[in-house]
Amino acid sequence: MSRSSTRLLTTSIRSLASSSSHTPSPSLAAAAYRRSDIGTSRYASSSVHSQPEFSCVDANERRGQKLQRLAEQSKPSCSTPSSSALSSVAFPCVDANEAREDRLRAQFSSPQLASATDSESQEVDESGPEPSYTKVVSGYQLYHHPRPFKLDYGGELPQFDLAYETWGQLNEDKSNAILLHTGLSASSHAASTQSNPAKGWWEDFIGPNKTLDTNKFFIICTNVLGGCYGSTGPSSAHPLDATGAAYATRFPILSIFDMVRAQFLLLDHLGIDRLYASVGSSMGGMQSIAAAHLERSRVARLISISGCARSAPASIALRYAQRSVLMSDPNWNRGFYYDAGQLPPHTGMKLARQIATFTYRSGPEWEQRFGRARRVATEEEGSMELDPALCPDFLIETYLDHQGEQFCLKYDANSLIYISKAMDLFDMSDHALCDLQLRRTNAHGADHSTNLALDRNATPAPRPRKRQHISTLSSPAAHAYVPALARGMARLADIPTLVIGVQSDILFPVEQQREIAECLRLNGNDSVRYYELDAPHGHDSFLIDVQNVGGAIRGFLESE
Ligand SMILES: CC(=O)SCCNC(=O)CCNC(=O)[C@H](O)C(C)(C)COP(=O)(O)OP(=O)(O)OC[C@H]1O[C@@H](n2cnc3c(N)ncnc32)[C@H](O)[C@@H]1OP(=O)(O)O
């Protein structure tokens, strides 16, 4: 059966399901799914395996069918004359994408590959370039949590693994531990280790006499829950599925707080009661704040770099655009692309990464770096100046193309979807925390309610401020959110905090950094340091600017 006809069947079964009752039963949805592109699917039918609904995808499919019918009706009656004037220009970028699809199809047609364990796929990876997210997975330690883990939005993981790496030595009284939180797509591999000598994503910041000085501190970095570099995520085998199939989009919705709770279970396992510091950038900044909120007595210092206390609509929009292009790649297949013979949504991932890269860097940097320069001819193309092309042509285009190409098979698409959604949902406002607490209690009962919302008795009353507070916020809209955010962040009133923002960051703008500092100060926190960098690298400054970002962190860690 062709892909389009199976889609039609899927859609009609789904519409049958929705016409018979308001909410389609999970079993009908599952039946519909089994008839879709998966073919040899290993996904059994049971309520544990119910398929999520994707009304946005359904709508897109209906539009496709309508356009197909219109195209059929408007076909020209005579054939198109052949002439060189009518021939199309070359599209090497489209050819390259098709070649990748073919290469992957050949590689993924082997059932052994799809069912390979980590170590097996490691070997397979050596022989071919993709997918590399299995390849990066090495040299970490694993914390296994064998019991059910309840999640804020009502879901549950029957058990989970957390991949982590450490640097430096834990001192005798276990008081020198720093928990380093990652950005969206990073692994636990923040710096090279003996077991994995490859450079890590914060290589220049971790080591003897570096920002996180391993002569003094014991640094722990995890791959977040929901990730794909060793921790349990959508690409992990669903423990309740006897077929061994991956969770895919049967994975429950996560919150930033869920990720942090999992990290505290790891700290319990390591016997670390109190952190010297919780440090994070980007999504890691959110986690850093969440950690101090959930476990105030266990976090001695807090560092948030280019993070936020609540995701702004503009950031949600930028991540939504990425998820949308990703979910419209037919290979994504509603998240079920892990079976033998199926391809990951590499095209959607590439486009999503191009959008992401736009949000990670800055216009002023690109002006300096690329200007309006266009690519030069390769040797095969000859030495003449190239004509304008529709494929990547300007250097900024070839750069985005390269970034997308590098990333599209390095990271699991479903992890991107789930983790970016967790970022969107993050909100430290008191009413948002109350809502989340209520959801948790409704789903799991009072026994599993955690201290998300403020207990006024257990939260310190704001102290009178020593110095007069002068607001640094420039947008009136931001002021409107500050009271609720400040109330939500009341537990952080006693924690020495460093906030770093970058003026060229469009993803987590400085206004959001000022907001964090402002809320803490409004709560009477007199140990807030705020640095705003005038650096050109935008959001990625935390990965690049060792001198300024690293210098501020080091100064704070060693003086507070
Ligand atoms: C919300 C969150 O997830 S937070 C985290 C978000 N950020 C990321 O994930 C970004 C990840 N990026 C990295 O790790 C980068 O390597 C950084 C930021 C550490 C370093 O950046 P830079 O040193 O400026 O290098 P950058 O990645 O921009 O460019 C270098 C690469 O682009 C290539 N390149 C540069 N210019 C061009 C161009 N015009 N055309 C094509 N390729 C180009 C280089 O050849 C190089 O390729 P390589 O990586 O295959 O060797």
Side-chain angles (χ1 to χ4, degrees), residues 183-186 201 281-283 319 353 360-361 365 369-370 394-400 402-403 406-407 423 507-508 537 539-540 542-544:
L184 195 170
S185 55
W201 56 266
S281 314
S282 188
M283 182 180 81
R319 287 188 286 268
R353 186 62 169 186
Y360 294 162
R361 307 302 276 253
E365 182 200 358
R369 197 168 168 181
F370 307 123
F394 285 98
L395 287 189
I396 182 57
E397 293 178 325
T398 61
Y399 176 71
L400 288 187
H402 180 79
Q403 296 298 325
Q406 289 299 301
F407 186 73
M423 292 171 75
L507 189 57
F508 289 74
H537 305 292
H539 188 60
D540 270 353
F542 76 87
L543 294 167
I544 297 169

